[in-house]
Amino acid sequence: MAAAPSFPAAHARVPWYSHGTNQRIVVPQDPFRYSERLQNIRPSGIRKFFELGLSMKNPIDLSIGQAHFDTPDVVKQAAQKAIADGRNRYTVTQGIPDLREKLKARYAARFGDVSGEDVMVTCGVSGGLMLTFLAMLNPGDEVLIPDPYFIMYKHLATMVSATAVTYDTYPDFRPTAQRIRERITPRTRLIIVNSPSNPTGYAMTEADARELAALADSTGIPLISDEIYEDFMYGARHVSPREFTRSCIVLSGASKSLGMPGWRIGWMLSPRELSEKMYGLQQFSFVCAPAPLQWGALAGIDLDFSQHRADYLAKRDFVFEGIRGRYSCVRPGGSFYMFPEVPKGAKLDTFIEACIKRELLVVPGTACSDRASHFRLCFAATDEKLRKAVTILNEIAASTA
Ligand code: PMP
C-alpha cells in the first residue's frame, strides 16, 4: 500500500514561475495560510460555554440562546412528509412559493402595502444577515450596531471587510435615534436594530420605532431590523420600525419561535429590486434553505404561540424577581435573555469563574459588548434549572457583598 501523502510543511519553500520573465522563483509560503479576514475573526465567546456545558455532567446551562421547547409535532410531521414525498431537491433559491406568499400576506396585514417588497427564504436569520451585508456593504463602509450586540453582527462586518461601529445603549438599552445619530459618519451605510434584543431583552416602544424610522428617512441610511424574537413579547405588542418607514429591511425566522434552530429557516422582507439581487448571492452561496424543512416551517407559521409566551413570561418574572434584590438589571420586555450587572465590587472574570465552579453557565458581557460589567443569562430553561440558578446567583452576590 502506498504511503499516505504527507502534508506540506508550513512555510515550505514552494517554487513558482514568474509570468513575465519565466524565471523560477522560490518563496516561503504556508499552503494553509489564512486570509486577513479570518485573522480578525475569533470564535464566539458563547460557543466556548456551549462546549464547557457539554463537558459537565449536569450543568445549569443558561448560556446558549435557544428555546427550551422542541419543534411542534405538526411541523415535524410536515417535514417528514415532505421528505417521504420526494421534496428533497433544490428549491428555487428564494424559497418555496407557498411559504413566501404566506409570509408576505402576514407582513401585508401588519405593515400595509408591501407590494414593492419581496419575501425571500434564507438559511436562518444568519443567512439573511450575510446576504444583506454582502449586498449592501463595500470594504471600508461602516455598519452601526448596538452595544450590547448579537455577536454575529460584528464578525459579519469583518467578513465583508466593513467596520462594525457600536452605538452605546447603556444603561437602559434603548436604541434611541439620538444615540445612533451621534455615531453616523459619511461612511455609515446601515443601521442594525434588534428588538426584542439579544442580549438585553429590551423591546422597542412605538416612540422608539417612530424616531428610528424618521432617522432612516432623513439620513437615507436604511435600518436592518432583526426581529427573530418577535413572538417572545411580555405585555406590550411587538413594534417594528418598518411600520413607519419603507427604509427598513425586516429579518425574522423560525429558529426561536418554532424551537428549530438546527433547521436553518429564516426570511427577509426587503425592497423587490434589492431582493432580486440577493437571489444571486444566495444562489452562489447557500443555494436554498433546506427544502423539506421549508415545508415543515410552512406548517408552523400560523400556530398559536400564546402558551409559550405565557410560560416564558412566568420564567422572566421568576428570574427577574428572584435576583433583583442583589443585581441591578433592566426588566426584559421580550426575547429570553436578561443582562444583569455583576454585583458591586465583583470583577466580571471572577464572577463568571464563581458561576462555573457551581456549574452555572452564563455568558460574560465581554462576548457581546465593549464593556466588562454585565453578563447574559438565558431564561429559556426548565423551572427547576431556573430555581437553582437564582439560588446560586444570590449566593454568589451575597459572598461578594
Ligand atoms: N439574530 C439574533 C438577535 C439572534 O439571537 C440569532 C440567534 N442567536 C440570530 C439572529 C440567528 O438566528 P438563526 O438561527 O435564524 O440564524
Side-chain angles (χ1 to χ4, degrees):
M1 201 171 67
S6 58
F7 283 102
H11 304 295
R13 298 181 82 80
V14 180
W16 60 287
Y17 292 87
S18 148
H19 280 303
T21 62
N22 218 23
Q23 262 183 325
R24 188 170 186 271
I25 298 170
V26 178
V27 286
Q29 179 173 286
D30 175 356
F32 297 113
R33 63 195 181 285
Y34 308 136
S35 66
E36 276 168 32
R37 145 183 337 112
L38 187 57
Q39 303 191 21
N40 292 323
I41 291 175
R42 287 176 310 272
S44 153
I46 297 172
R47 285 274 135 192
K48 235 172 41 196
F49 285 90
F50 186 57
E51 276 146 30
L52 192 60
L54 292 178
S55 70
M56 288 179 177
K57 249 227 235 70
N58 191 19
I60 305 158
D61 188 354
L62 308 188
S63 68
I64 201 86
Q66 52 192 350
H68 82 302
F69 51 81
D70 195 16
T71 319
D73 284 343
V74 282
V75 174
K76 289 182 184 170
Q77 283 151 11
Q80 283 160 354
K81 183 170 183 319
I83 292 170
D85 290 349
R87 291 179 154 155
N88 301 305
R89 299 176 156 238
Y90 301 125
T91 70
V92 282
T93 202
Q94 61 270 38
I96 57 172
D98 302 51
L99 181 56
R100 293 173 63 225
E101 277 157 25
K102 186 139 220 165
L103 289 165
K104 186 144 185 202
R106 213 167 69 159
Y107 280 126
R110 202 165 155 208
F111 300 147
D113 180 18
V114 289
S115 57
E117 282 148 290
D118 178 65
V119 171
M120 175 175 181
V121 182
T122 56
C123 291
V125 170
S126 308
L129 285 165
M130 172 70 116
L131 297 182
T132 311
F133 278 39
L134 281 170
M136 300 190 68
L137 293 171
N138 284 317
D141 283 350
E142 293 174 358
V143 47
L144 290 180
I145 68 169
D147 181 10
Y149 46 81
F150 168 47
I151 183 80
M152 193 178 280
Y153 301 149
K154 203 161 207 176
H155 294 305
L156 278 179
T158 306
M159 279 190 218
V160 300
S161 305
T163 305
V165 174
T166 53
Y167 56 89
D168 189 345
T169 66
Y170 288 88
D172 56 10
F173 306 130
R174 282 181 64 206
T176 65
Q178 178 57 30
R179 287 169 173 171
I180 294 172
R181 193 177 290 109
E182 282 166 11
R183 305 290 281 161
I184 291 176
T185 75
R187 307 220 70 152
T188 309
R189 191 67 187 85
L190 297 174
I191 299 167
I192 301 220
V193 290
N194 167 219
S195 172
S197 153
N198 170 8
T200 69
Y202 183 82
M204 108 178 27
T205 62
E206 189 171 319
D208 293 335
R210 281 185 187 279
E211 272 191 28
L212 290 169
L215 180 72
D217 288 340
S218 64
T219 58
I221 305 169
L223 301 167
I224 307 296
S225 184
D226 179 345
E227 304 182 1
I228 189 163
Y229 298 100
E230 63 183 301
D231 289 322
F232 296 83
M233 287 293 299
Y234 312 120
R237 74 175 182 95
H238 177 255
V239 182
S240 169
R242 173 59 190 81
E243 293 167 35
F244 312 109
T245 178
R246 281 171 199 256
S247 187
C248 178
I249 294 175
V250 176
L251 296 152
S252 193
S255 290
K256 313 292 174 177
S257 302
L258 291 178
M260 44 186 252
W263 287 30
R264 315 308 308 130
I265 302 289
W267 50 81
M268 166 160 67
L269 177 78
S270 59
R272 185 179 301 280
E273 237 176 76
L274 172 66
S275 185
E276 285 170 5
K277 290 274 182 211
M278 288 195 270
Y279 294 176
L281 292 173
Q282 178 145 284
Q283 182 79 70
F284 299 132
S285 53
F286 304 100
V287 182
C288 63
L293 309 188
Q294 294 188 50
W295 290 98
L298 175 65
I301 289 298
D302 289 333
L303 289 180
D304 179 9
F305 196 72
S306 50
Q307 188 55 52
H308 287 318
R309 189 177 295 118
D311 287 349
Y312 276 53
L313 168 66
K315 289 178 193 298
R316 183 218 43 188
D317 286 345
F318 175 75
V319 178
F320 182 75
E321 296 304 331
I323 64 170
R324 75 188 299 190
R326 293 199 177 266
Y327 289 83
S328 156
C329 183
V330 175
R331 195 163 84 127
S335 81
F336 39 60
Y337 306 101
M338 269 175 220
F339 204 60
E341 206 172 340
V342 293
K344 291 254 172 309
K347 277 218 154 46
L348 182 61
D349 285 0
T350 43
F351 172 79
I352 296 289
E353 271 168 30
C355 291
I356 291 174
K357 266 200 197 123
R358 307 282 308 263
E359 303 217 322
L360 169 63
L361 301 180
V362 293
V363 177
T366 41
C368 47
S369 173
D370 295 343
R371 297 198 197 187
S373 49
H374 290 61
F375 64 98
R376 187 187 82 171
L377 170 165
C378 170
F379 58 82
T382 62
D383 292 346
E384 192 203 337
K385 294 228 162 178
L386 294 177
R387 259 196 304 278
K388 285 186 184 159
V390 166
T391 305
I392 293 170
L393 286 171
N394 284 328
E395 284 171 7
I396 291 175
S399 71
T400 52

